[in-house]
Amino acid sequence: MFEDEQRSIEAFIQTYCAENDIPAPEDLQWKPIPFSGDWGISTSFFQVAAQEARLGKKVNVSIRAQEIAEGAAAHIGVPEGFSLVEAVRGYLNLYFSSSEFSRRVIDAVMKGGANFGRGEDKGERVMVEYAQPNTHHSFHIGHYRNAILGEALARLVEFDGFDTIRASYPGDIGLGVITVLWAYDKFYKGQEPDDLHERGQWLLKLYVEATNLLTPREDETPAEKAQREAYDAERREMYRKWDAGDPYLRQLWLETREWSLEELRDILRLIDINIDVWFFESEVDEPAKAIVEELIARGVADDERPRGGAVIVKIDQKLGLEKEQYRANVLLRNDGTTLYLTKDLALAKDKFEKYGVDRSVYVVDVRQSLHFQQAFKILELWGFEQARKCHHLGYGFVSLPEGAMSARRGQVALFKDVVDEAIRRVLAEIARKNPDLPQQARQDVAKQVGLGALAYAMLSVDNNRDIVFDIDKALSFEGHTGPYIQNAHVRACSILRKAGGIPGEATFNYKLTPHELGLIEMISRFPSVVQQAAREYRPLVMASYAFELATAFHSYYHVVPVLKAETEAMRAARLRLVAAARQTIANALHLLAIAAPEVM
Ligand code: ARG
């Protein structure tokens, strides 16, 4: 924000050094001085002093650094826009004038609007893969954590300047899917629930029933055992037929798969996620087989099939590692079928080659960590440069206060049920707190707040940690929640409405209160928070920031008079600060895929 001033100060330092026979500082590193009521930047002269010592001058480096800093400070004076220049223990500290700094921050926000904080074009393409549940299954809140984490990440890297592609990769085939088809075909043929959101749940019920029938029990009689084995044989035969392309099974598979996909698309629409590319596990199965042949030909994989074994990659051995780290992996079973890992190789190849991806992020359950380490290493051995830029963003388990979810036991919190409940509760809250709000607006706001509460409950916990999802806590308007942040936005909107508009410009030429300074400091940090969250692939960084920003706004709002400010000039400055806070809160919420309501 003070780039011009910074450059002219650098020029002052260079002339000072030249005139005094001091080696020219090669590249002056500026660091922000940690905020404690004043803003400033600082640089040090230890390197210059050390350089003099190397050149043969007899100096004590720290004493000499301080001497140079003092000389430079005297030479610079106090330039326009600054309030203080001082030399301290070898450092040159420059403090900005608070009123000037504040004006520039607020002007930058107002000028940038929804683009305030956006990073420069990075000229690189990132693919974020998420929202990829298995089909023939319902969508529960664990899947939701994945979807919202991936979406926030995609928004962050996109906003930071990466060309971003959103990809999904549903697991649409495997023994689990076949188990559902078997049960359907055997016991429920021709049936179909009407409601879009009941089908996944219904297929899950079939899966649970089938699993019970197919799992050995300790007390089973010989007749029961025979029955179970016969069922299992049917199921395996079904898988074989599916694999061979049996038209009836393929049709049944596609039809039931579509039930899950319809529900998935409906949910993604509800939570404002637009997937650009749909990959399916079933579609990379054949290409995966071809890749294995190539890996064998290149000596990356070993074909032990002729000796009754499988095709394997001894990752550690090929990397020349002594200690066991990535282990060995099967790529093709003896019968020629692929595995989950094999398909991931084909998927990665598509991502790199068809979509020109430079970086690839996989948002997947943390329990698949080893799987991804192995996949990325095999890609490296295969010769993909981009493999080094593949990143697995793992996330922990979501459980309920009453215990762990279990699809097998049919004990899950369906996302759709949780959303409906959240919206219902927010509607009741609005009816109490804001009875004058018209019906349609109530519905819209309830949806925004209900969904915002759920999103924030997921994003405000470090991705690696498990979540015990508690709907009561998530929906609270106080504390570390989505509605609390949304409420800061609502309050800012309400002040600006009452004021009847935002002044086009304002200066901060008065003694700023600590609450104003604190809020301006929070706003000024937004662009670097975007960078950090995107660079570290950590939406949590933005989630924590949004909460701190909202907190700074709430205290400002409670303590500092805006509409009733002492002077017209102060009123204008404070209104512009409210408008800038509103904009920054809206931008932060948007990056978390949370709506910013104007009333609630
Ligand atoms: N469908 C898988 C699951 O539900 C996640 C897919 C992860 N992505 C990948 N490229 N392996 O566990």
Short mmCIF file of all heavy atoms in Angstrom, two decimals, residues 297-318:
data_model
loop_
_atom_site.label_atom_id
_atom_site.label_comp_id
_atom_site.label_asym_id
_atom_site.label_seq_id
_atom_site.Cartn_x
_atom_site.Cartn_y
_atom_site.Cartn_z
N ALA A 297 6.36 -52.64 -18.80
CA ALA A 297 7.33 -52.46 -19.87
C ALA A 297 8.48 -51.55 -19.43
O ALA A 297 9.64 -51.76 -19.81
CB ALA A 297 6.64 -51.90 -21.11
N ARG A 298 8.16 -50.57 -18.60
CA ARG A 298 9.21 -49.64 -18.16
C ARG A 298 9.99 -50.11 -16.95
O ARG A 298 10.84 -49.39 -16.43
CB ARG A 298 8.57 -48.31 -17.76
CG ARG A 298 8.00 -47.57 -18.92
CD ARG A 298 7.92 -46.15 -18.51
NE ARG A 298 7.23 -45.36 -19.52
CZ ARG A 298 7.17 -44.06 -19.47
NH1 ARG A 298 7.73 -43.42 -18.45
NH2 ARG A 298 6.55 -43.39 -20.39
N GLY A 299 9.60 -51.27 -16.46
CA GLY A 299 10.32 -51.79 -15.30
C GLY A 299 9.91 -51.17 -13.98
O GLY A 299 10.56 -51.38 -12.96
N VAL A 300 8.82 -50.41 -13.96
CA VAL A 300 8.35 -49.84 -12.69
C VAL A 300 7.58 -50.92 -11.92
O VAL A 300 7.71 -51.06 -10.71
CB VAL A 300 7.45 -48.60 -12.92
CG1 VAL A 300 6.89 -48.09 -11.60
CG2 VAL A 300 8.23 -47.51 -13.65
N ALA A 301 6.77 -51.70 -12.67
CA ALA A 301 5.99 -52.77 -12.03
C ALA A 301 6.57 -54.13 -12.40
O ALA A 301 7.19 -54.29 -13.44
CB ALA A 301 4.54 -52.68 -12.48
N ASP A 302 6.38 -55.11 -11.49
CA ASP A 302 6.85 -56.48 -11.76
C ASP A 302 5.65 -57.38 -11.98
O ASP A 302 4.72 -57.40 -11.16
CB ASP A 302 7.65 -57.00 -10.56
CG ASP A 302 8.87 -56.13 -10.29
OD1 ASP A 302 9.54 -55.76 -11.28
OD2 ASP A 302 9.12 -55.77 -9.12
N ASP A 303 5.71 -58.12 -13.07
CA ASP A 303 4.60 -59.02 -13.39
C ASP A 303 4.87 -60.40 -12.81
O ASP A 303 5.70 -61.14 -13.33
CB ASP A 303 4.44 -59.10 -14.91
CG ASP A 303 3.16 -59.82 -15.30
OD1 ASP A 303 2.45 -60.31 -14.40
OD2 ASP A 303 2.88 -59.87 -16.51
N GLU A 304 4.20 -60.71 -11.74
CA GLU A 304 4.41 -62.03 -11.13
C GLU A 304 3.27 -62.97 -11.43
O GLU A 304 3.12 -64.02 -10.81
CB GLU A 304 4.63 -61.86 -9.62
CG GLU A 304 5.92 -61.09 -9.35
CD GLU A 304 6.21 -60.83 -7.88
OE1 GLU A 304 5.35 -61.16 -7.04
OE2 GLU A 304 7.30 -60.30 -7.59
N ARG A 305 2.45 -62.58 -12.39
CA ARG A 305 1.31 -63.43 -12.73
C ARG A 305 1.72 -64.82 -13.24
O ARG A 305 1.09 -65.80 -12.87
CB ARG A 305 0.39 -62.74 -13.75
CG ARG A 305 -0.52 -61.71 -13.11
CD ARG A 305 -1.32 -60.96 -14.15
NE ARG A 305 -0.43 -60.22 -15.04
CZ ARG A 305 -0.87 -59.48 -16.06
NH1 ARG A 305 -2.15 -59.40 -16.33
NH2 ARG A 305 -0.03 -58.82 -16.82
N PRO A 306 2.76 -64.87 -14.10
CA PRO A 306 3.12 -66.20 -14.60
C PRO A 306 3.44 -67.18 -13.46
O PRO A 306 3.26 -68.38 -13.61
CB PRO A 306 4.37 -65.93 -15.44
CG PRO A 306 4.28 -64.49 -15.82
CD PRO A 306 3.59 -63.81 -14.69
N ARG A 307 3.89 -66.65 -12.33
CA ARG A 307 4.19 -67.54 -11.20
C ARG A 307 3.03 -67.57 -10.20
O ARG A 307 3.21 -67.80 -9.02
CB ARG A 307 5.47 -67.06 -10.51
CG ARG A 307 6.73 -67.67 -11.13
CD ARG A 307 7.98 -66.89 -10.75
NE ARG A 307 8.08 -65.65 -11.51
CZ ARG A 307 8.31 -64.45 -10.98
NH1 ARG A 307 8.44 -64.31 -9.70
NH2 ARG A 307 8.39 -63.38 -11.75
N GLY A 308 1.82 -67.28 -10.71
CA GLY A 308 0.64 -67.38 -9.85
C GLY A 308 0.44 -66.17 -8.97
O GLY A 308 -0.47 -66.14 -8.14
N GLY A 309 1.27 -65.14 -9.14
CA GLY A 309 1.14 -63.94 -8.31
C GLY A 309 0.35 -62.86 -9.03
O GLY A 309 -0.48 -63.14 -9.90
N ALA A 310 0.63 -61.61 -8.65
CA ALA A 310 -0.09 -60.46 -9.21
C ALA A 310 0.92 -59.52 -9.87
O ALA A 310 2.11 -59.81 -9.91
CB ALA A 310 -0.81 -59.73 -8.08
N VAL A 311 0.44 -58.40 -10.39
CA VAL A 311 1.36 -57.35 -10.85
C VAL A 311 1.56 -56.39 -9.68
O VAL A 311 0.58 -55.87 -9.14
CB VAL A 311 0.81 -56.58 -12.07
CG1 VAL A 311 1.78 -55.48 -12.48
CG2 VAL A 311 0.54 -57.52 -13.23
N ILE A 312 2.82 -56.21 -9.30
CA ILE A 312 3.05 -55.35 -8.13
C ILE A 312 4.11 -54.28 -8.41
O ILE A 312 4.90 -54.41 -9.33
CB ILE A 312 3.49 -56.18 -6.90
CG1 ILE A 312 4.78 -56.95 -7.21
CG2 ILE A 312 2.41 -57.14 -6.45
CD1 ILE A 312 5.38 -57.59 -5.97
N VAL A 313 4.07 -53.22 -7.59
CA VAL A 313 5.14 -52.22 -7.63
C VAL A 313 5.79 -52.24 -6.26
O VAL A 313 5.13 -52.03 -5.25
CB VAL A 313 4.63 -50.77 -7.79
CG1 VAL A 313 5.74 -49.87 -8.28
CG2 VAL A 313 3.42 -50.69 -8.64
N LYS A 314 7.09 -52.46 -6.26
CA LYS A 314 7.82 -52.42 -4.99
C LYS A 314 8.33 -50.99 -4.86
O LYS A 314 9.45 -50.68 -5.26
CB LYS A 314 8.96 -53.42 -4.99
CG LYS A 314 8.45 -54.86 -5.07
CD LYS A 314 9.59 -55.84 -5.22
CE LYS A 314 9.05 -57.25 -5.43
NZ LYS A 314 9.94 -58.05 -6.29
N ILE A 315 7.49 -50.13 -4.31
CA ILE A 315 7.79 -48.69 -4.34
C ILE A 315 9.10 -48.38 -3.63
O ILE A 315 9.97 -47.72 -4.19
CB ILE A 315 6.64 -47.86 -3.73
CG1 ILE A 315 5.31 -48.25 -4.38
CG2 ILE A 315 6.89 -46.37 -3.94
CD1 ILE A 315 4.12 -47.51 -3.83
N ASP A 316 9.25 -48.87 -2.40
CA ASP A 316 10.46 -48.56 -1.63
C ASP A 316 11.71 -49.00 -2.39
O ASP A 316 12.68 -48.25 -2.49
CB ASP A 316 10.41 -49.25 -0.26
CG ASP A 316 9.33 -48.65 0.61
OD1 ASP A 316 9.03 -47.46 0.45
OD2 ASP A 316 8.78 -49.38 1.46
N GLN A 317 11.65 -50.21 -2.92
CA GLN A 317 12.81 -50.75 -3.62
C GLN A 317 13.15 -49.90 -4.85
O GLN A 317 14.30 -49.55 -5.08
CB GLN A 317 12.51 -52.19 -4.03
CG GLN A 317 13.72 -52.96 -4.47
CD GLN A 317 13.31 -54.16 -5.31
OE1 GLN A 317 12.88 -54.00 -6.45
NE2 GLN A 317 13.39 -55.35 -4.73
N LYS A 318 12.12 -49.53 -5.63
CA LYS A 318 12.38 -48.74 -6.84
C LYS A 318 12.91 -47.35 -6.51
O LYS A 318 13.63 -46.74 -7.29
CB LYS A 318 11.10 -48.59 -7.68
CG LYS A 318 10.48 -49.88 -8.11
CD LYS A 318 11.20 -50.53 -9.28
CE LYS A 318 10.72 -51.98 -9.38
NZ LYS A 318 11.40 -52.77 -10.39
#
